[in-house]
Amino acid sequence: MNSNGNANHVKVLVLGSGPAGLSAALYAARAELAPVVLTGIQLGGQAALTYTIENYPGFPEGVGGAQLGELFQKQAEHFGAKVEFDTASEVDLSQRPFKVKADGGEYLADSLIISTGADPNKLKVPGEEELTGRGVSYCATCDGWFFKDKKVVIVGGGDSALEEGLFITRYASSVTVIHRRAEFRASPILQVRATEHPKMSFIFDTVVTEVVGKEKVEALRLKNLKTGDETVFETDGVFIFIGHTPNTQMFKGQLEMDNLGYIKINDRMQASKAGVFAAGEAADSHFRQVVTSAGMGAAAAIEATHFLEAQAD
Ligand SMILES: Cc1cc2nc3c(=O)[nH]c(=O)nc-3n(C[C@H](O)[C@H](O)[C@H](O)COP(=O)(O)OP(=O)(O)OC[C@H]3O[C@@H](n4cnc5c(N)ncnc54)[C@H](O)[C@@H]3O)c2cc1C
């Protein structure tokens, strides 16, 4: 809402302030479209949750996750993007300008870039949240390196669990996969590679009931679902791969999505409604990296610029 009590009318509204959203804002700002970014509750997105990011180009010594978010924000603002600490709660995409209701007011947007990201599914057990970034991780490519010669546990039984587990064997001294069922869901070839790997071992029919540790992960409390037996398993880290949930619920019924809720886009980041673009993990269940999300954000803003230019003709 602006000072007259009317909805703010903007050319480009960006939902989300992760790498995708802030990169989209940078590109839209440099195209002089004065984009507004609604940050959501996590300024900087998931990347801001991690202590250090070592695989974003341009930072040979690595960069703090929160620091990278601040740099993205500063660069977008430098060119005129407006970053609002607000969260969208409702959208009406039935006609342009699109209507977006946020906690702090209403927006009318000539084009919309959705970069609300995805959240890794959590175990929801004591200790998990407190020790995230201190031994609890949801990203092997990001954090595997920190577990050089350490004991690591993987939780999950699908492709990502085994794929990421195999990746971590490059660093860790041992990788134990804990799965709640008696068999993996992962593809047979991955199962063969994992079971034949000398560093990997497996515990089936078992769930984690607590992540134990003071400053960092020290152990997991486990429960065997068949016998009910409880044990404590010492480990330096636990990687959780039990799926992701994209933050796209508010677009349900208005945009095409896949069966997991990822927004369907074409190779120009355009969603199923003209003028709506999606970037980063809201639309990408595969790559899930800062660099790929930022790239999609930039592409979405370039396409939003072309879209608005075509409307003006
Ligand atoms: C612990 C951890 C460590 C990681 N380490 C690395 C690493 O080292 N290297 C790497 O490349 N990748 C890493 N990743 C992955 C990387 O962070 C993500 O791929 C990337 O952040 C995805 O960017 P995104 O902009 O698509 O979404 P996100 O980063 O998920 O950002 C989503 C944004 O949308 C906002 N939002 C959500 N709902 C709303 C709403 N309703 N209204 C407005 N805003 C909303 C959120 O507040 C957030 O700002 C890591 C992930 C985690 C969890």
Side-chain angles (χ1 to χ4, degrees), residues 16-17 19-20 39-40 42 46-47 55 88 116 142 250 280-281 288-290:
S17 60
T39 59
Q42 184 60 62
Q46 294 171 63
N55 54 6
T116 46
C142 319
M250 102 183 96
E281 290 199 19
R288 299 209 281 251
Q289 295 293 295
V290 174

Side-chain angles (χ1 to χ4, degrees), residues 209-288:
T209 55
E210 185 181 346
V211 182
V212 183
K214 286 205 174 90
E215 293 300 310
K216 58 184 183 59
V217 171
E218 291 162 23
L220 301 176
R221 206 174 292 281
L222 306 180
K223 183 177 181 183
N224 184 300
L225 293 175
K226 285 212 165 131
T227 62
D229 287 350
E230 293 194 352
T231 48
V232 171
F233 188 91
E234 285 184 13
T235 184
D236 299 299
V238 53
F239 286 76
I240 299 159
F241 299 109
I242 53 171
H244 272 73
T245 305
N247 298 315
T248 57
Q249 295 82 344
M250 102 183 96
F251 309 103
K252 223 173 176 179
Q254 303 198 58
L255 292 176
E256 283 179 25
M257 298 181 190
D258 70 12
N259 58 356
L260 296 174
Y262 290 90
I263 296 173
K264 284 192 181 173
I265 51 172
N266 65 15
D267 60 359
R268 303 206 162 191
M269 310 297 133
Q270 198 195 301
S272 55
K273 198 142 277 176
V276 181
F277 303 85
E281 290 199 19
D284 165 33
S285 61
H286 184 65
F287 294 110
R288 299 209 281 251

Side-chain angles (χ1 to χ4, degrees), residues 15-21 38-50 52-56 86-89 115-120 132-133 136-139 141-143 247 250 279-282 287-293:
L15 303 185
S17 60
L38 304 187
T39 59
I41 53 169
Q42 184 60 62
L43 177 63
Q46 294 171 63
L49 297 174
T50 186
T52 177
I53 293 180
E54 300 191 322
N55 54 6
Y56 189 74
D86 206 349
T87 299
S89 51
S115 42
T116 46
D119 289 335
T132 292
V136 174
S137 174
Y138 303 88
C139 175
T141 328
C142 319
D143 297 333
N247 298 315
M250 102 183 96
E281 290 199 19
F287 294 110
R288 299 209 281 251
Q289 295 293 295
V290 174
V291 69
T292 51
S293 302

